[in-house]
């Protein structure tokens, strides 16, 4: 199947290449749904991108009126000549009389000549329902549609028919069935309106001979023309990184195993006043300090206001703005549909090419009853991820069951890291508790920590668990003081025990030394006694022998003194 | 109104070759010009075959074929169809013959 790109962003993706070549396509929508803009966008962009002329046939409006309507787009339509886009007025006047059977041969012959003259390959029949209204005959309608179908093949053109959305009347239903049957591709432009909001959607109802995305997608009409916010279904080609990007808070980085992963999306949820914006500002300041570009998108709060507020916690973002590293963009959340916001954000990302993106709060996009809000949030993160931008977005939770609501919105599902900040009220005070709910691809602390804001910055603090509750604020300080006192007491008693033991050891050692000395004396004393005794006995024996010797005859004296010593 | 001035082509019939509707329209117009007295003499007829001269269809604002256009002064009356509605056809011819 040969496709004819429309150059309508998103549509060529939905339709896997554009409208069918040499076939009839039907663009259906209610008043103001953008049928003419859709068709004209295609013609203008095929001309500018491919240099390929087109023909625009009006069945409803006069050409001057149509031109003046189209002049409001950034297409410079006034500069496009008849050899670029040829306008043909094909209104059948109200005063035209009918006098029998007729067919479209005249118009088609004329258009065929025009097509050959300028080399057109796309022809728009704007308001085909008006023409069919003149035929006013079921058989004729079918016959002329068949003629047109055949003509498209012969002329080698893509034909775009636009028609008003069909009413409930029997006649409208018949047209609807016939037109849809006779065309190869049917594109429905829908306007979804609630009491307070309205948004556009595009749906491909059928595409003969081709696969297509059947789900409706949000659309925006802006100065640039028609655009569809299309979320790619293949998300496998995101660049992946292992580098870490600092959160701007050392202890939070430590809890996250080094910081946020580059190119990942981080969600910070919490009630009003839980310092979500402060966490964003810390991240911003850290990124800018490294020389990285940051795009900070705030809703309902001006950039100047945020910069002013952040000074109170010691963060001065103003120099980064002056250096051109930080772009603060503020938008009002009301008055625009989420898809319009998305396009504005995407354009800002394209213009500034930031390394980091902050959206505060992302939940501004979920305001109102917009049908595509969650899909748009996904698309925003998709934009960041596909460009390797580290994105930080906050989400305001107004209700107790906010977490549930948030999960339902899918933002928490697409975010890689989810940090929740809450108030813990206890004993007459409110303190901020920060928890890392999840962090893909990184080991992280599961501990609840207290978030401390002071004029010198943001810090995290360990909390104490007691009786199944965490202690924060003054309760934590009390606990800390109590623990410190106990510690001092313990220290003192330990030191006392230590000293006592030391003293006893010294005493014992002294006693041991004294006893050793005494032992020595005793030994020496004993030796002395033994020596004196031996000497005394020697003297005794000498004296005895002498006495014995003296009693013997002189001849025997001295020879056997030893054998005959005193017994 | 002189016959000479009136000859200045006050009727244009746009046809698509010899398709059935176009052939019928040509026949019906011819018969009507015979039936309405003086019309054939007074009104100049130009037959434009859009297959042969397709650019004329665009420039003259012809959407369907057959189309009969009656020119009178600055205005024009358009009658579309194969002209089987003789009442409307005769009415058109007579209005063109009538003095302004």
């Amino acid at each position: 199947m040969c496709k004819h790109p429309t150059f309508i962003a998103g549509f060529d993706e939905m339709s896997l290449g554009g409208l069918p070549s040499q076939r009839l396509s039907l663009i259906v929508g209610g008043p103001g749904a953008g049928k003419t803009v859709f068709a004209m966008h295609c013609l203008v962009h095929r001309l500018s991108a491919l240099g390929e002329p087109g023909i625009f046939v009006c069945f409803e409006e006069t050409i001057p009126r149509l031109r003046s309507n189209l002049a409001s787009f950034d297409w410079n339509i006034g500069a496009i000549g008849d050899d670029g886009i040829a306008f043909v007025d094909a209104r059948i006047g109200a005063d035209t009389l009918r006098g029998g059977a007729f067919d479209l041969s005249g118009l088609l012959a004329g258009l065929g000549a025009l097509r050959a003259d300028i080399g057109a390959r796309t022809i728009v029949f704007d308001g085909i329902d008006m023409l069919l209204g003149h035929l006013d005959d079921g058989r004729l309608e079918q016959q002329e549609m068949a003629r047109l179908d055949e003509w498209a093949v012969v002329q080698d053109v893509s034909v775009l028919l636009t028609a008003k959305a069909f009413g409930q009347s029997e006649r409208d239903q018949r047209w609807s069935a016939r037109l849809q049957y006779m065309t190869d591709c049917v594109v429905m432009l829908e306007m979804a309106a609630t009491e307070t909001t309205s948004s556009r959607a595009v749906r491909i109802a059928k595409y003969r001979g081709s696969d297509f995305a059947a789900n409706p997608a949000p659309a925006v009409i802006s100065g640039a023309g028609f655009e569809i916010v299309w979320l790619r279904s293949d998300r496998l080609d995101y660049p992946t990184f292992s580098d870490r990007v600092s959160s701007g808070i050392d202890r939070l980085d430590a809890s996250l195993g080094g910081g946020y992963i580059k190119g990942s999306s981080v969600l910070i949820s919490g009630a009003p006043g839980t310092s979500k914006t402060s966490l964003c500002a810390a991240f911003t300041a850290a990124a800018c300090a490294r020389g990285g570009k940051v795009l900070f998108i705030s809703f309902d709060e001006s950039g100047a206001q945020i910069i002013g507020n952040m000074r109170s916690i010691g963060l001065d973002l103003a120099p980064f703005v002056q250096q051109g590293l930080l772009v603060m963009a503020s938008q009002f959340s009301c008055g625009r549909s989420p898809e319009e916001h998305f396009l504005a954000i995407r354009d800002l990302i394209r213009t500034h090419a930031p390394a980091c993106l902050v959206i505060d709060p992302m939940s501004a996009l979920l305001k109102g009853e917009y049908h595509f809000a969650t899909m748009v949030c996904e698309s925003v993160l998709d934009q960041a991820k596909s460009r390797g931008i580290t994105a930080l977005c906050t989400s305001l939770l107004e209700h107790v069951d906010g977490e549930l609501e948030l999960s339902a919105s899918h933002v928490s599902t697409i975010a890689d890291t989810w940090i929740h900040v809450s108030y813990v009220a206890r004993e007459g005070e409110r303190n901020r508790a920060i928890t890392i709910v999840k962090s893909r691809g990184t080991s992280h602390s599961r501990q609840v920590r207290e978030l401390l804001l002071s004029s010198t910055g943001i810090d995290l603090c360990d909390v104490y668990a007691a009786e199944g509750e965490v202690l924060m604020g003054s309760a934590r300080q009390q606990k800390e003081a109590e623990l410190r006192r106990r510690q001092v007491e313990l220290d003192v008693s330990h030191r006392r025990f230590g000293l006592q033991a030391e003293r006893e050891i010294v005493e014992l050692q002294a006693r041991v030394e004294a006893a050793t000395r005494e032992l020595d004396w005793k030994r020496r004393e004993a030796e002395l006694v033994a020596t004196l005794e031996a000497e005394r006995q020697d003297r005794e024996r000498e004296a005895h022998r002498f006495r014995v010797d003296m009693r013997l005859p002189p001849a025997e004296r001295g020879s056997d003194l030893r054998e005959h010593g005193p017994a | 109104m002189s016959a000479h001035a009136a000859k200045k082509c006050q009727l244009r019939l746009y046809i698509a070759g010899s398709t059935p509707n176009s052939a019928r329209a040509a026949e019906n117009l011819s018969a009507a010009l015979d039936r309405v007295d003086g019309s054939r003499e007074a009104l100049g007829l130009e037959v434009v075959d859009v297959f042969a001269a397709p650019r004329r269809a665009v420039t003259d604002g012809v959407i369907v074929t057959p189309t009969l256009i009656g020119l009178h002064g600055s205005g024009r009356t358009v009658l579309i169809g194969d002209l089987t509605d003789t009442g409307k056809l005769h009415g058109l011819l007579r209005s063109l013959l009538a003095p302004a």
Side-chain angles (χ1 to χ4, degrees):
Chain A
M1 160 128 270
C2 199
K3 301 259 175 115
H4 207 72
T6 60
F7 295 93
I8 292 171
F11 184 79
D12 291 343
E13 285 79 9
M14 278 177 92
S15 58
L16 310 176
L19 296 171
S21 297
Q22 300 191 344
R23 300 285 172 85
L24 307 187
S25 299
L26 179 66
I27 319 292
V28 192
K35 303 178 291 294
T36 305
V37 180
F38 185 103
M40 202 62 209
H41 185 116
C42 178
L43 284 189
V44 168
H45 289 84
R46 284 189 70 86
L47 178 65
S48 61
L50 307 173
E52 184 195 282
I55 300 174
F56 194 96
V57 185
C58 313
F59 291 105
E60 212 164 350
E61 280 179 300
T62 64
I63 289 163
R65 194 158 157 188
L66 179 74
R67 277 183 173 278
S68 92
N69 292 346
L70 295 173
S72 62
F73 292 97
D74 314 333
W75 297 336
N76 200 11
I77 204 98
I80 299 175
D82 274 351
D83 54 345
I85 296 174
F87 288 90
V88 175
D89 186 342
R91 289 172 305 141
I92 295 179
D95 53 354
T96 298
L97 304 169
R98 293 192 46 172
F102 56 86
D103 54 60
L104 292 178
S105 306
L107 178 67
L108 296 184
L111 291 176
L114 192 55
R115 185 209 67 77
D117 283 352
I118 66 172
R121 292 211 45 223
T122 311
I123 300 193
V124 175
F125 288 89
D126 194 32
I128 192 80
D129 49 316
M130 292 296 283
L131 181 69
L132 296 182
H134 283 286
L135 297 176
D136 196 23
D137 177 327
R139 195 189 53 79
L140 253 180
E141 285 165 19
Q142 193 156 346
Q143 174 198 303
E144 293 314 293
M145 288 299 291
R147 189 191 303 277
L148 196 54
D149 192 38
E150 205 172 291
W151 184 79
V153 178
V154 172
Q155 298 284 329
D156 184 23
V157 288
S158 272
V159 176
L160 276 73
L161 310 173
T162 78
K164 279 189 277 298
F166 307 103
Q168 292 304 310
S169 75
E170 196 186 319
R171 194 182 134 71
D172 278 7
Q173 290 298 308
R174 195 186 71 210
W175 274 13
S176 159
R178 179 159 303 123
L179 266 178
Q180 296 197 37
Y181 175 72
M182 295 297 294
T183 52
D184 282 35
C185 177
V186 177
V187 180
M188 315 286 269
L189 306 185
E190 289 153 359
M191 292 276 275
T194 66
E195 274 175 31
T196 53
T197 65
S198 88
S199 60
R200 298 172 190 281
V202 172
R203 188 164 61 84
I204 299 177
K206 85 165 203 188
Y207 200 139
R208 208 173 272 158
S210 167
D211 198 7
F212 60 93
N215 288 339
V220 172
I221 293 180
S222 66
F226 204 96
E227 184 160 348
I228 295 168
V229 179
W230 177 245
L231 184 65
R232 297 173 307 151
S233 51
D234 55 320
R235 279 193 253 151
L236 300 169
D237 55 345
Y238 288 143
T240 53
F241 302 93
S242 55
D243 324 13
R244 299 289 178 150
V245 178
S246 173
S247 66
I249 303 160
D250 293 342
R251 295 198 58 181
L252 183 56
D253 286 349
S255 303
L256 288 163
Y260 307 129
I261 294 176
K262 187 184 172 197
S264 70
S265 301
V266 181
L267 171 71
I268 299 174
S269 63
T274 46
S275 63
K276 298 182 295 297
T277 304
S278 304
L279 289 172
C280 292
F283 169 72
T284 302
C288 289
R290 289 192 308 271
K293 284 180 84 177
V294 180
L295 173 60
F296 195 121
I297 295 167
S298 59
F299 285 100
D300 305 319
E301 195 176 8
S302 77
Q305 212 176 339
I306 290 173
I307 290 174
N309 291 343
M310 289 307 125
R311 287 206 180 97
S312 68
I313 55 162
L315 288 172
D316 192 3
L317 300 176
F320 300 129
V321 175
Q322 280 150 21
Q323 290 164 37
L325 287 172
L326 173 59
V327 176
M328 304 285 294
S330 311
Q331 303 187 358
F332 276 112
S333 59
C334 299
R336 278 167 123 183
S337 68
E339 41 274 27
E340 284 172 311
H341 281 304
F342 164 76
L343 294 182
I345 292 170
R346 188 203 58 194
D347 290 347
L348 282 167
I349 291 174
R350 281 183 185 167
T351 311
H352 299 292
C356 300
L357 170 71
V358 173
I359 300 177
D360 182 38
M362 180 77 115
S363 45
L365 297 178
L366 298 168
K367 261 190 191 174
E369 296 161 37
Y370 288 103
H371 192 61
F372 295 107
T374 60
M375 204 202 99
V376 164
C377 288
E378 253 179 85
S379 303
V380 170
L381 293 186
D382 175 70
Q383 282 290 318
K385 280 196 170 182
S386 57
R387 291 174 161 79
I389 298 171
T390 312
L392 205 60
C393 50
T394 66
S395 184
L396 195 60
L397 298 177
E398 313 241 18
H399 312 288
V400 183
D401 60 345
E403 283 190 37
L404 218 106
E405 218 168 79
L406 196 80
S407 303
S409 80
H410 292 292
V411 177
S412 61
T413 327
I414 18 172
D416 301 299
T417 300
W418 181 7
I419 293 173
H420 185 66
V421 197
S422 61
Y423 272 129
V424 177
R426 196 190 140 100
E427 287 165 11
E429 58 177 38
R430 284 155 80 83
N431 297 293
R432 299 179 176 98
I434 184 167
T435 328
I436 301 166
V437 182
K438 75 162 183 184
S439 190
R440 266 180 211 150
T442 187
S443 65
H444 62 90
S445 164
R446 287 172 200 285
Q447 214 181 359
V448 176
R449 284 191 165 79
E450 186 176 354
L451 188 61
L452 294 173
L453 269 69
S454 70
S455 58
T456 53
I458 309 175
D459 203 358
L460 300 191
C461 190
D462 288 339
V463 294
Y464 290 99
E467 292 131 31
E469 242 187 315
V470 291
L471 295 181
M472 297 191 185
S474 57
R476 170 178 55 76
Q477 283 166 2
Q478 259 175 21
K479 191 80 182 173
E480 276 177 342
E482 194 189 313
L483 278 192
R484 267 199 302 276
R485 204 183 59 238
R486 265 195 228 159
Q487 193 62 46
V488 170
E489 277 174 12
L490 270 180
D491 278 359
V492 167
S493 68
H494 281 166
R495 221 174 303 152
R496 206 168 50 211
F497 280 130
L499 280 175
Q500 205 173 329
E502 242 171 80
R503 200 184 62 216
E504 280 172 14
I505 289 168
V506 169
E507 273 175 13
L508 283 173
Q509 273 175 342
R511 274 156 68 181
V512 168
E513 274 168 36
T516 313
R517 262 197 310 275
E518 210 170 326
L519 184 66
D520 192 38
W521 281 113
K522 282 284 178 207
R523 277 198 192 116
R524 283 202 240 168
E525 212 177 286
E527 276 168 32
L528 196 61
V529 169
T531 315
L532 290 176
E533 179 61 16
E535 281 173 11
R536 192 190 58 83
Q537 283 180 3
D538 282 351
R539 270 195 311 275
E540 284 280 323
R541 261 195 304 275
E542 196 63 34
H544 177 71
R545 201 184 311 141
F546 184 71
R547 273 192 307 271
V548 172
D549 204 39
M550 291 303 281
R551 283 170 205 146
L552 291 173
E556 291 169 21
R557 277 183 199 167
S559 61
D560 57 352
L561 250 179
R562 235 146 254 166
E563 290 102 320
H564 301 285
Chain B
M1 190 191 296
S2 75
H4 184 73
K7 268 289 181 189
K8 218 180 154 198
C9 189
Q10 280 186 307
L11 275 177
R12 275 185 206 150
L13 178 66
Y14 295 84
I15 55 164
S18 53
T19 53
N21 283 342
S22 294
R24 250 194 318 278
E27 279 167 29
N28 289 335
L29 180 59
S30 181
L33 289 171
D34 290 340
R35 291 276 299 276
V36 178
D37 289 339
S39 61
R40 192 180 285 279
E41 298 74 36
L43 304 171
L45 170 66
E46 182 189 10
V47 177
V48 181
D49 182 352
V50 294
F51 287 171
R55 282 164 194 79
R56 283 290 297 276
V58 176
T59 53
D60 296 356
V62 171
I63 315 305
V64 299
T65 44
T67 292
L68 179 65
I69 297 180
L71 301 157
H72 43 90
S74 59
R76 61 187 217 167
T77 305
V78 182
L79 180 61
I80 58 176
D82 59 8
L83 309 178
T84 44
D85 188 335
T86 47
K88 279 184 186 151
L89 178 56
H90 291 181
L92 172 68
L93 296 180
R94 285 195 192 100
S95 75
L96 290 172
L97 287 172

